[in-house]
Amino acid sequence: MEATRSVKITVTHVRIALAIIAVSASATLASLFSGVAEIDPLPEPLDIVFPAALAFGGVLMPLIGLIGANATPHRLRAGIFFALPLFCFAAFLAPELDVFPVRALSMVGGAVSFVGLIVVVFTALEHRPHRTPSTPSRFDS
């Protein structure tokens, strides 16, 4: 019989994933603002909303997640630090933003966000304390 080893997700794993997300979002913003990516002009309200959402959700939220006990994979609240960047990167998959550095960086950040969200949620649910059955209610039959 083979001995099976289970991989334990630690705070370091979560922090590395959050750092990758923050770096890819920062590089996406840098390529947008530096003019490296030749993007067709976005409609008027979206040219401010897209970068602002990515700056908040893709850079700021993972950096907040890196601080303190927020990156604990055994708590379900760590999933928010992966879910918000996932939605921000998904907005950058619009056809107007289909240029090389923006598309590649948003796909990397989105993939790491998606995998991180799945791993953190399942790890948190696995370590959830089991509840004892409560006393039966008078309405239970």
Side-chain angles (χ1 to χ4, degrees), residues 9-92:
I9 304 299
T10 63
V11 174
T12 305
H13 295 115
V14 174
R15 287 185 177 161
I16 289 171
L18 288 173
I20 291 170
I21 293 168
V23 167
S24 64
S26 299
T28 302
L29 286 173
S31 66
L32 283 175
F33 290 131
S34 68
V36 171
E38 296 187 20
I39 299 174
D40 295 334
L42 293 171
E44 187 63 33
L46 293 181
D47 62 347
I48 300 297
V49 172
F50 273 9
L54 188 64
F56 177 74
V59 178
L60 188 63
M61 285 302 286
L63 290 178
I64 292 172
L66 288 170
I67 299 171
N70 293 328
T72 305
H74 305 297
R75 294 190 180 160
L76 203 53
R77 71 177 175 198
I80 192 70
F81 299 111
F82 290 99
L84 194 57
L86 176 63
F87 294 131
C88 293
F89 283 120
F92 274 81

Side-chain angles (χ1 to χ4, degrees), residues 44-139:
E44 187 63 33
L46 293 181
D47 62 347
I48 300 297
V49 172
F50 273 9
L54 188 64
F56 177 74
V59 178
L60 188 63
M61 285 302 286
L63 290 178
I64 292 172
L66 288 170
I67 299 171
N70 293 328
T72 305
H74 305 297
R75 294 190 180 160
L76 203 53
R77 71 177 175 198
I80 192 70
F81 299 111
F82 290 99
L84 194 57
L86 176 63
F87 294 131
C88 293
F89 283 120
F92 274 81
L93 296 178
E96 294 85 11
L97 300 171
D98 191 14
V99 293
F100 168 64
V102 174
R103 179 57 58 102
L105 291 168
S106 62
M107 288 181 72
V108 167
V112 173
S113 298
F114 180 70
V115 171
L117 178 65
I118 298 296
V119 168
V120 165
V121 167
F122 279 112
T123 302
L125 291 177
E126 181 179 299
H127 288 93
R128 191 175 209 183
H130 298 287
R131 296 183 181 193
T132 59
S134 62
T135 59
S137 172
R138 65 179 178 163
F139 299 110

